[in-house]
Amino acid sequence: MQGELSKKLFKAAKEVIPGGVNSPVRAFRNVDGDPFFVRRAKGCRIEDVDGRSLIDYIGTWGPAILGHAPTVLTNTVHEVAKNGLSFGIPNPFEVEMAKVVCEWVPSVEKVRMVNSGTEATMSAIRLARGFTGRDKIIKFEGHYHGHVDSLLVAAGSGALTHGEPDSAGIPRSLAAETITLPFNLPERVEEVFARCGEEIAAVILEPYPANAGFVFPHPGYLALLRELTTKHGALLIFDEVMTGFRLARGGVQELSGITPDLCALGKVIGGGLPVGAFGGRGDIMDHLAPDGPVYQAGTLSGNPVAMAAGLAQLKELKKQNGYQRLEEIGQRFEDGVRGIIRAKGLPYRFNRAGSMWCLYFGDAEIINVDSVQQGDFEAFRKFFWSCLERGVYLAPSPYETGFLSLAHTESDIDETLEVFAECLA
Ligand code: KE4
């Protein structure tokens, strides 16, 4: 399926880039193939270097919520870049962005910008340890928080793909401070807190786990985590790098009414440029340098061009009443997929919230990564390649969540459903 130019580029890439990619999941290893290279993207479509056009259901893993290269963003980047690309000195866009995040995200009284989701979760963990004076962290199997040493333990996303849930290069002494539990099993968390609750600095989770399938917390589960962390003096950290600004203005914390102490943000907030952020209670955030003892920094953090792009995206989302529209096309997509599964009597499941979705090639109830791993990955691989041949690009891994954007029209959805009907056995 790789075009001639993609083939040439990938051969050259492998000479100078590890695995030929700058991020492992792009290598197509989990679909036993080689990646194509992209020349351009606009709206809900991408065009590869061999001229093939594809409807894109990844949206650069979440940032492209308006679709690719929306004019409002490209014009903003063009205009702001004329005045400089980076200063390393405070700029007005940083203040405006921080105000918007504090206004939109329930838990955030103060926020610090960084350059990736990984930096956001890494900084939040260090801050939690510095604020509480404790070392242990609880995370959940299959939850992916970026390639942070303390959190790349039983992780999701690319780590699962490569069958190396625990990456090489992480000191055992550090990994020992991370307690990893199955998600959605209350008794497991209660047991750990009963045993060593006073040693726990923080519990970090994806509140709607989306890196090992797309999973919903059972009713009351997030409230239990909130109750246990408060009771034992541990911090609750929501990793909303994917769900923040994606599922609602205030992400899952708005949808669930559960307010964490800290949260990590990213993707949508940057409009496709390298942006992450972490924020939360002001008394905790004030422990960060230069006011407090927890050091955290970044040359390009709050970069004016990235801030302006992210602000333009968030303002456009609000202007277009984006979340309502994403729910409308999401419902159309879900009804279509469920209709195909029903009509063909397929033992498959489909989870969706807003513009995030995942199709499972198995009928086990999806409660955590163990249930996702019971899926028929060979059937997924066949589906992936059949869809790609028919012009629909899905995530090259059964663990990844799909994304809709405001650029996906009813006819794009209907065209995709026709392809799905052909490709689902
Ligand atoms: P980055 O460091 O990749 O910007 O963000 C890390 C991260 C943190 N938290 C959550 C919940 C995330 O989903 C991510 C990154 N998501 C993956 C997609 N599943 C990034 C894709 C990739 O690794 O190339």
Side-chain angles (χ1 to χ4, degrees):
M1 271 316 296
Q2 207 183 32
E4 282 312 306
L5 199 41
S6 283
K7 208 173 283 182
K8 279 197 192 110
L9 280 166
F10 194 47
K11 186 172 182 301
K14 284 188 283 190
E15 297 294 315
V16 288
I17 306 172
V21 290
N22 281 309
S23 195
V25 73
R26 302 178 196 167
F28 275 35
R29 294 291 171 84
N30 216 37
V31 288
D32 298 336
D34 289 332
F36 57 87
F37 283 61
V38 174
R39 183 196 310 283
R40 64 171 71 90
K42 182 71 178 170
C44 73
R45 290 176 186 273
I46 51 182
E47 183 184 314
D48 75 6
V49 291
D50 292 284
R52 186 177 47 166
S53 172
L54 302 162
I55 302 178
D56 177 17
Y57 282 94
I58 304 179
T60 174
W61 302 101
I65 194 168
L66 298 178
H68 288 290
T71 307
V72 65
L73 258 66
T74 52
N75 287 348
T76 298
V77 169
H78 183 72
E79 282 312 305
V80 172
K82 285 179 192 168
N83 295 328
L85 297 170
S86 177
F87 309 123
I89 306 167
N91 71 76
F93 293 113
E94 292 173 280
V95 185
E96 191 182 352
M97 173 62 89
K99 284 180 178 173
V100 167
V101 174
C102 290
E103 182 197 331
W104 286 30
V105 186
S107 62
V108 179
E109 294 172 348
K110 285 192 176 177
V111 61
R112 174 152 295 169
M113 307 309 296
V114 292
N115 302 282
S116 69
T118 293
E119 272 190 82
T121 57
M122 175 183 71
S123 306
I125 290 297
R126 184 180 315 128
L127 177 57
R129 284 172 162 155
F131 179 76
T132 60
R134 301 174 180 181
D135 295 339
K136 292 218 177 303
I137 297 289
I138 291 177
K139 77 171 290 282
F140 297 92
E141 290 159 5
H143 291 215
Y144 179 67
H145 304 291
H147 57 97
V148 183
D149 280 359
S150 285
L151 300 175
L152 209 50
V153 179
S157 186
L160 274 174
T161 300
H162 292 270
E164 300 168 26
D166 302 327
S167 169
I170 297 176
R172 288 187 182 289
S173 58
L174 183 62
E177 299 298 343
T178 301
I179 300 166
T180 304
L181 298 175
F183 189 64
N184 266 335
L185 299 183
E187 65 282 359
R188 297 295 302 274
V189 187
E190 288 165 333
E191 184 269 325
V192 168
F193 269 99
R195 178 161 45 85
C196 58
E198 311 319 308
E199 296 174 47
I200 308 291
V203 173
I204 185 168
L205 68 149
E206 293 179 63
Y208 281 13
N211 280 289
F214 188 36
V215 180
F216 300 125
H218 284 169
Y221 188 71
L222 296 182
L224 172 69
L225 297 181
R226 179 66 282 176
E227 179 198 328
L228 287 170
T229 45
T230 302
K231 182 180 171 189
H232 292 273
L235 299 188
L236 181 62
I237 304 175
F238 277 5
D239 178 350
E240 296 222 52
V241 167
M242 275 234 256
T243 55
F245 311 109
R246 163 66 63 174
L247 291 181
R249 288 174 51 167
V252 173
Q253 46 199 290
E254 177 184 320
L255 296 177
S256 66
I258 303 294
T259 302
D261 299 298
L262 294 173
C263 66
L265 301 163
K267 295 183 190 268
V268 169
I269 194 176
L273 295 185
V275 177
F278 66 105
R281 276 172 35 197
D283 63 315
I284 300 174
M285 293 297 288
D286 286 344
H287 275 66
L288 285 169
D291 286 342
V294 180
Y295 195 70
Q296 187 277 336
T299 304
L300 300 175
S301 298
N303 171 284
V305 180
M307 292 296 98
L311 279 164
Q313 173 134 288
L314 296 181
K315 286 174 186 169
E316 188 64 17
L317 258 177
K318 187 176 173 184
K319 185 177 160 204
Q320 289 192 32
N321 197 11
Y323 299 110
Q324 184 181 322
R325 172 66 183 156
L326 288 169
E327 180 51 38
E328 284 164 12
I329 53 169
Q331 191 61 61
R332 184 188 190 98
F333 186 64
E334 176 174 354
D335 293 346
V337 176
R338 288 187 182 282
I340 295 166
I341 292 173
R342 212 172 23 254
K344 292 174 179 276
L346 296 169
Y348 297 164
R349 284 186 178 251
F350 183 86
N351 275 3
R352 176 187 72 87
S355 56
M356 295 176 71
W357 57 274
C358 195
L359 173 60
Y360 298 100
F361 289 73
D363 59 1
E365 186 200 353
I366 303 300
I367 61 167
N368 55 33
V369 65
D370 294 337
S371 30
V372 171
Q373 287 181 321
Q374 291 169 33
D376 177 348
F377 288 174
E378 197 40 47
F380 165 77
R381 286 188 190 97
K382 287 187 184 129
F383 179 65
F384 170 82
W385 289 110
S386 305
C387 287
L388 192 61
E389 279 164 24
R390 291 164 176 79
V392 173
Y393 178 50
L394 305 174
S397 163
Y399 292 110
E400 298 289 352
T401 296
F403 296 93
L404 296 165
S405 80
L406 287 175
H408 286 80
T409 64
E410 279 78 356
S411 65
D412 297 315
I413 300 286
D414 294 348
E415 183 182 335
T416 304
L417 292 171
E418 281 171 29
V419 169
F420 277 25
E422 282 174 46
C423 300
L424 282 172

